[in-house]
Structure formats: C-alpha cells, structure tokens
Amino acid sequence: MNKRKLNAVMQLHGESQQNLADYLQMSLSRLNAKINEYRGAQFRQNEIAAIQEHYGLSAEEVNEIFFASAVSRKDTTNT
C-alpha cells in the first residue's frame, strides 16, 4: 500500500481522510487502519473500486496505490 500516493490524491481533490471515510461509509479510525495496514487491515475490492471511481483513478494508479510492494529504501549501488 502506497499511503503517500493515496494521501496525495486526496489532497489533489481537496479532501481529507474524513471525507474519504464518509464516502466509503466507514469510521475514520477504520479507514486509517486500512491505510496504515494496522493489524492486517486491508481495503476490500469494492472499496478500491469505489475509491477509483471517486477520484477518477486509472488502473495504473490503482496498482501503484493499493498493490505497491514494500521496497527497501536502502541505496545498494554504493556497496
């Protein structure tokens, strides 16, 4: 999950996490848990589709946000 990109999309649309939580009809704490993947919380397929529609995201943007694999930020070129 690329939470930075999701937050950037929300900001671009002038929305907060509360706005998105209201749109998805879930509590802010539940949305926050899903964004931070707290205790394995994840977005469901229908929630991802709703977010995609709400923000007009392309399939590539959806993949970048919700299916980003964790990549080490360590620079290995200088080792």
Side-chain angles (χ1 to χ4, degrees):
M1 168 88 200
N2 186 337
K3 61 183 173 181
R4 284 186 178 168
K5 184 155 180 98
L6 179 58
N7 284 325
V9 168
M10 287 188 291
Q11 287 180 349
L12 222 95
H13 288 84
E15 292 193 348
S16 65
Q17 287 186 4
Q18 184 64 62
N19 297 125
L20 183 56
D22 292 343
Y23 178 75
L24 295 173
Q25 300 179 344
M26 69 175 62
S27 69
L28 177 59
S29 62
R30 186 67 185 145
L31 175 69
N32 201 294
K34 289 181 181 220
I35 289 173
N36 293 304
E37 299 176 282
Y38 180 70
R39 292 192 178 180
Q42 295 181 349
F43 285 97
R44 294 180 179 171
Q45 187 174 0
N46 64 325
E47 294 165 343
I48 293 170
I51 293 169
Q52 179 180 19
E53 182 180 322
H54 184 62
Y55 294 124
L57 302 174
S58 68
E60 183 178 338
E61 290 171 311
V62 168
N63 283 336
E64 289 172 359
I65 293 169
F66 296 102
F67 303 106
S69 38
V71 178
S72 172
R73 299 228 183 253
K74 182 179 177 186
D75 183 1
T76 56
T77 59
N78 295 328
T79 55

